[in-house]
Amino acid sequence: GGDRPTSLDERVGWLYRKPAEFVEMGLSDARDEFFSVAIAAAGDGTGDEEARIRRAVDDPLTMDLLLHEGGWLAQFLDKRGSLLPEDEASLAATWSQCERSVYEVVELHAGQALTVKDLRTGEATEVIDDFFSVEAEVGSYYCLRVVLIGDQYELMGGGFEVRVGAEAEVFDMLERRDPIEIATHVGQLYAGPTAH
């Protein structure tokens, strides 16, 4: 076949699916942990519990917490990394080094990109994003995981809003790297009276 090999950029979504499928198809431990994280993220608010759990299962943050803080991305790379093309293996390895942080949204180009400032380092980064850049608000704080893909930054695995004043508490929580604790925090945000 005269197929041109697809660039790494074009394979990013596919590459992120691989560790997720490793969890979904693989060890029951991983699936059990995934549902524990999802149930924590669903919160215990009023209303339809099943719908909340379904939303948490579909929320990319749930899988990202399991892969990143839960250590399943590292396990995937350990067990399957050697089967990946070299460029994918090294990209996935850099992803596992990218920690979540709290960011202030500084500038928006809705549907294209946003500029965020890491409250931990003060560093501003332009992030290419077509979805979150529509929903986010300038001046608001969000907990995000920003990763370098090729020569541009993108968001990985969803995020959640951080109340102004709660940054220190969220940073402490991120340092403990407990996926259930973070998911529970997210579940409480949804369950709050302002959830919609």
Side-chain angles (χ1 to χ4, degrees), residues 96-159:
S96 62
Q97 303 305 308
C98 297
E99 295 301 332
R100 240 172 274 286
S101 191
V102 179
Y103 293 87
E104 178 183 357
V105 176
V106 182
E107 203 182 315
L108 284 175
H109 303 283
Q112 298 171 318
L114 65 163
T115 304
V116 293
K117 186 173 87 176
D118 187 337
L119 296 184
R120 189 182 276 146
T121 63
E123 199 178 324
T125 306
E126 189 186 28
V127 178
I128 304 301
D129 177 89
D130 50 5
F131 178 69
F132 184 63
S133 60
V134 175
E135 297 201 329
E137 290 175 29
V138 170
S140 291
Y141 292 173
Y142 298 90
C143 180
L144 305 167
R145 206 152 79 82
V146 173
V147 300
L148 185 60
I149 294 175
D151 54 4
Q152 59 190 34
Y153 287 93
E154 296 184 29
L155 299 179
M156 180 161 280

Side-chain angles (χ1 to χ4, degrees), residues 11-27 30 33 63-64 66-68 70-96 145 156:
R11 282 179 281 140
V12 162
W14 171 236
L15 174 58
Y16 191 67
R17 283 295 315 147
K18 290 177 185 176
E21 281 172 4
F22 174 72
V23 164
E24 288 161 1
M25 321 294 279
L27 302 162
E33 275 181 51
M63 180 60 80
D64 200 59
L66 185 78
L67 290 175
H68 192 68
W72 285 96
L73 178 59
Q75 288 207 38
F76 166 76
L77 288 171
D78 190 42
K79 295 197 168 58
R80 301 279 163 85
S82 59
L83 305 175
L84 293 173
E86 206 171 308
D87 56 353
E88 289 186 17
S90 72
L91 179 60
T94 47
W95 287 350
S96 62
R145 206 152 79 82
M156 180 161 280

